[in-house]
Amino acid sequence: MFCVDGLVLQAKKRGEHDLFLQVLTADRGRILICAKGGRSVRSGQMPVSQPFTYSNMEVYEKNGFLWLKGGSVIHSFYSVSEDLESFAVASYMVESVQDFTDEGVTDESVLRLLLNLLYALSEKKAPPDLVKALWEFTLLSLSGYAPDLQGCAVCHKGAPAFFDIQNGRLLCPECKAREEVRAPSEDEREESRMIAPVLDETLAAMRYLERTDSKKIMGFPPLGPAGRINLEQLAESFFLYHVGHSYKSLSFYKGMKGEVEKR
Ligand SMILES: [Zn+2]
């Protein structure tokens, strides 16, 4: 038997009473744990078997599976379920983290980032759209896709005003214009559309996020409404471009936002 601190990403029904838990841990990566009686209210396993719950779990190995013996809750972020938009963003985070984690592969920084942002979401430290952008941008940066934000990547002189989503770099207006002139083929024109304006305040926030420990993630320089929208759009395009596919939970979030805006 061993003890492990883990966050339940997903709980899938297994038979009438049991659950298969997908758990993200600091020292064993993403693991699958079977909770016998995890669906029963009388079971002591129920509190630690809830999605968005971070617990110290007692686990044993039998017949090639990991089984939950018991445990105690360290922190439950289940209150994100009380608000539909927060719930949608939390679901998107736990769905997309699967592309960045693996069984046996330990990366504590990803788990820390997820815990800190679930906390921000459950405590309403920031609006859900902004938490989503912080997740997308910082997760990519932690996972080896950190963009080069020093200055214009071509001339190293002009003030950067554009973010090149595909290459993760900045361009000044002159170098951006030159890139576009040089793009005669359909494919290259498509690529040049992936160069989007970046505001100074957004760039300041991105620079902060790229180098800051996730514990201090909410301390980024303040963003006005335009800077926030700019960050949200850039983070999502940058994220989806590198992941290469969308997510069910993201479509749900977008559909829900569309409904809210129509009202
Ligand atoms: Zn330049």
Side-chain angles (χ1 to χ4, degrees):
M1 204 186 74
F2 61 89
C3 282
V4 67
D5 290 346
L7 175 75
V8 176
L9 302 175
Q10 216 182 39
K12 272 191 186 155
K13 290 176 195 168
R14 176 186 183 270
E16 218 169 297
H17 305 289
D18 306 342
L19 287 170
F20 264 132
L21 307 177
Q22 202 170 63
V23 182
L24 185 62
T25 70
D27 40 6
R28 289 170 184 256
R30 183 157 48 81
I31 53 175
L32 199 63
I33 300 174
C34 183
K36 241 183 150 11
R39 294 179 65 199
S40 155
V41 189
R42 277 171 300 167
S43 156
Q45 300 187 348
M46 195 171 171
V48 295
S49 304
Q50 300 291 314
F52 311 125
T53 302
Y54 185 54
S55 303
N56 179 265
M57 299 172 158
E58 291 168 45
V59 179
Y60 63 94
E61 218 173 325
K62 197 181 150 193
N63 304 330
F65 283 101
L66 295 176
W67 302 81
L68 183 69
K69 186 170 181 288
S72 54
V73 173
I74 299 169
H75 195 100
S76 169
F77 303 97
Y78 202 68
S79 64
V80 295
S81 315
E82 290 161 11
D83 171 67
L84 192 56
E85 210 176 316
S86 300
F87 174 73
V89 169
S91 303
Y92 173 50
M93 294 198 291
V94 299
E95 187 183 353
S96 55
V97 79
Q98 311 207 7
D99 283 329
F100 294 83
T101 51
D102 221 333
E103 193 169 337
V105 180
T106 58
D107 187 351
E108 198 176 348
S109 62
V110 172
L111 174 64
R112 291 283 143 216
L113 176 66
L114 184 53
L115 291 172
N116 281 304
L117 287 179
L118 281 173
Y119 177 78
L121 209 52
S122 64
E123 297 297 315
K124 303 201 183 335
K125 300 275 181 203
D129 329 37
L130 184 57
V131 173
K132 171 177 167 289
L134 298 176
W135 170 248
E136 292 166 330
F137 185 80
T138 315
L139 178 60
L140 273 190
S141 297
L142 282 177
S143 307
Y145 298 97
D148 172 8
L149 300 178
Q150 281 197 320
C152 175
V154 178
C155 70
H156 308 285
K157 282 187 216 112
F162 293 91
F163 183 62
D164 177 349
I165 288 159
Q166 198 167 20
N167 299 299
R169 59 179 191 170
L170 297 170
L171 294 173
C172 72
E174 291 74 30
C175 293
K176 189 227 177 206
R178 242 175 280 138
E179 295 274 306
E180 279 172 340
V181 173
R182 276 199 320 104
S185 75
E186 185 63 35
D187 277 1
E188 282 176 303
R189 277 201 294 279
E190 188 63 41
E191 280 176 25
S192 71
R193 272 196 284 277
M194 299 199 68
I195 299 176
V198 59
L199 300 175
D200 287 348
E201 54 180 312
T202 307
L203 187 53
M206 285 159 78
R207 283 177 173 146
Y208 176 89
L209 295 172
E210 203 180 56
R211 51 162 212 260
T212 303
D213 186 276
S214 65
K215 237 190 289 173
K216 296 181 190 150
I217 193 165
M218 300 313 292
F220 56 87
L223 284 169
R228 218 183 90 185
I229 291 173
N230 191 211
L231 179 67
E232 288 164 10
Q233 289 172 342
L234 288 180
E236 188 181 290
S237 307
F238 186 47
F239 190 74
L240 294 181
Y241 173 76
H242 284 291
V243 173
H245 64 89
S246 192
Y247 295 94
K248 246 197 272 176
S249 50
L250 181 61
S251 308
F252 171 72
Y253 173 73
K254 298 237 164 204
M256 187 205 71
K257 289 287 281 182
E259 284 305 304
V260 171
E261 271 148 33
K262 257 184 260 162
R263 258 182 251 151

